[in-house]
Amino acid sequence: MEKRRRERYPMSEIASGKREMVDVAIVGAGPMGLVTALMCARAGLKVAIYERQGDFSASPAWNGTGVLAPDCEADVADATIVDLGRRSLDLWPTLIPGFTLNGALVLGNRRQPTALDDYSSFVLNYEWADEERIAALEPSLAGIYNRGMYFPQAAHADPRVLFTGLKEVLEAAGIRIRFDWIGTIDGLQAERIVDTRGLGARDRFPELRAVTAEMAQVRSHKIELNRPIRLLHNRHALYVTPRGQGIYVIGATTVDDDRSGVSVRSAGELMTHAVSLLPAFADAEVVELRSGLMPVLMNGVPKVVVGDRIIAVNGLYRYGWMVAPAIAEDLLRVIYTQATKVIHASRPMRH
Ligand SMILES: Cc1cc2nc3c(=O)[nH]c(=O)nc-3n(C[C@H](O)[C@H](O)[C@H](O)COP(=O)(O)OP(=O)(O)OC[C@H]3O[C@@H](n4cnc5c(N)ncnc54)[C@H](O)[C@@H]3O)c2cc1C
């Protein structure tokens, strides 16, 4: 890499400090950019991060629900995403703290008794849970559900805690995030550039589209849930996830357009969902309604395009936190081997 750098820029300019050369410049400080930066730094590469906005709140991940449950998503997600998610669950604890690895619980709607059986034909790595097991896992649900599926390999986290944790670890490694950056990618002084601009990368991915995701936060000190819970009663894959101190996140509904804000319909769906899961949510206090625009490619699967100097990653859809570490690990391999190919193309669903 050092040799290629010298070929591209004369030593005199680098030595005189006119060019602040790095091995890898990351453009975009969403989950994909930050995790890639950290993995590159840990591999001994000199890294810089460039973010157009003044803080992390421009990323949809700021308003994420923070569910990392790849096995539970196998009914709605491509097998590639499930595999990336499983690998990432092993990688996250090596990067930052802040995750609760407590599994996830999937429950059926009592009015659709076959829903769980239908769902079970799409998913792997679960244990059936009877009424007693459900009550032991989630005392607040005791006596309400007599059958469910427990997925041990699932985690949850507060995305804002993850952003802060990543920033701290990066700063400790001497990596500064240049917020409010208005430069051009081609002008960056870097051996390799990783473009993780999400929806800002429509110039590179013309097929990129925005999908709105919405979530609600409610507070109740009368309810105590310990893990993400998905109730199979809604057209969306909706989870109710504990954030601590009586806060619960409900989401996310997804709407295939790029409007901002949460619609009345979605707000109603989110609240109805929580009350359907556990009637005690009817008395909870609504704390926050938030939405974000997620970057989605044609088949809903992330894509990595490897060029001579620029590697572009996009289309992480509703799985940015869930899959970023595994994709970053693959990027690092590409950077070291100087491979030139597209990886992570969609594979047929294996179910
Ligand atoms: C309500 C909601 C719930 C969600 N729940 C989950 C969940 O439970 N689990 C999960 O895994 N995911 C979840 N997601 C999805 C997750 O937020 C996305 O998958 C993720 O944000 C994609 O990450 P990214 O880094 O690829 O892109 P982004 O997060 O979009 O980051 C791109 C960054 O690039 C910056 N940028 C754009 N243009 C430029 C430019 N020209 N120069 C410099 N910087 C630029 C942007 O400002 C942004 O900060 C949720 C999203 C929402 C909205």
Side-chain angles (χ1 to χ4, degrees), residues 27-34 50-53 55-68 159 163 181-183 185 196-201 211-215 251-253 290-295 313-324:
V27 188
M32 194 63 243
L34 296 177
Y50 301 87
E51 165 59 47
R52 181 172 59 180
Q53 302 298 336
D55 57 33
F56 295 123
S57 64
S59 162
W62 184 253
N63 291 328
T65 45
V67 177
L68 286 74
F163 270 115
W181 179 72
I182 49 164
I185 291 186
T196 66
R197 289 175 294 155
L199 287 171
V211 169
T212 304
E214 302 141 306
M215 63 88 146
T253 45
R290 288 287 180 110
S291 70
L293 293 177
M294 303 180 295
V313 191
N314 220 306
L316 272 63
Y317 186 29
R318 30 183 298 218
Y319 301 112
W321 291 116
M322 196 175 91
V323 301

Side-chain angles (χ1 to χ4, degrees), residues 120-240:
S120 72
S121 64
F122 290 99
V123 293
L124 294 169
N125 304 324
Y126 62 86
E127 299 159 15
W128 285 106
D130 60 11
E131 188 168 352
E132 203 179 329
R133 179 101 195 265
I134 293 170
L137 288 166
E138 298 293 355
S140 287
L141 300 178
I144 302 178
Y145 295 91
N146 57 17
R147 198 160 166 254
M149 293 163 73
Y150 174 59
F151 291 79
Q153 292 307 312
H156 63 281
D158 180 341
R160 296 175 196 184
V161 170
L162 300 186
F163 270 115
T164 309
L166 284 164
K167 184 167 181 268
E168 281 171 9
V169 177
L170 285 163
E171 281 173 355
I175 298 162
R176 210 179 95 219
I177 303 168
R178 285 147 220 239
F179 288 107
D180 295 316
W181 179 72
I182 49 164
T184 59
I185 291 186
D186 288 336
L188 287 170
Q189 316 299 319
E191 186 62 30
R192 297 300 287 265
I193 294 164
V194 183
D195 176 354
T196 66
R197 289 175 294 155
L199 287 171
R202 283 186 164 116
D203 52 341
R204 202 175 300 282
F205 295 94
E207 73 276 34
L208 201 56
R209 71 180 207 279
V211 169
T212 304
E214 302 141 306
M215 63 88 146
Q217 272 197 38
V218 301
R219 184 186 291 120
S220 169
H221 293 292
K222 293 187 189 143
I223 299 167
E224 201 183 322
L225 299 175
N226 303 304
R227 54 184 55 75
I229 309 215
R230 180 174 164 191
L231 178 63
L232 299 175
H233 106 129
N234 197 290
R235 65 198 165 95
H236 304 284
L238 286 182
Y239 295 81
V240 176

Side-chain angles (χ1 to χ4, degrees), residues 192 304-308 310-312 331 334 338-343:
R192 297 300 287 265
V304 180
V305 179
V306 182
D308 175 38
I310 299 175
I311 303 172
L331 290 185
V334 167
Q338 306 200 343
T340 307
K341 63 181 178 189
V342 177
I343 52 176

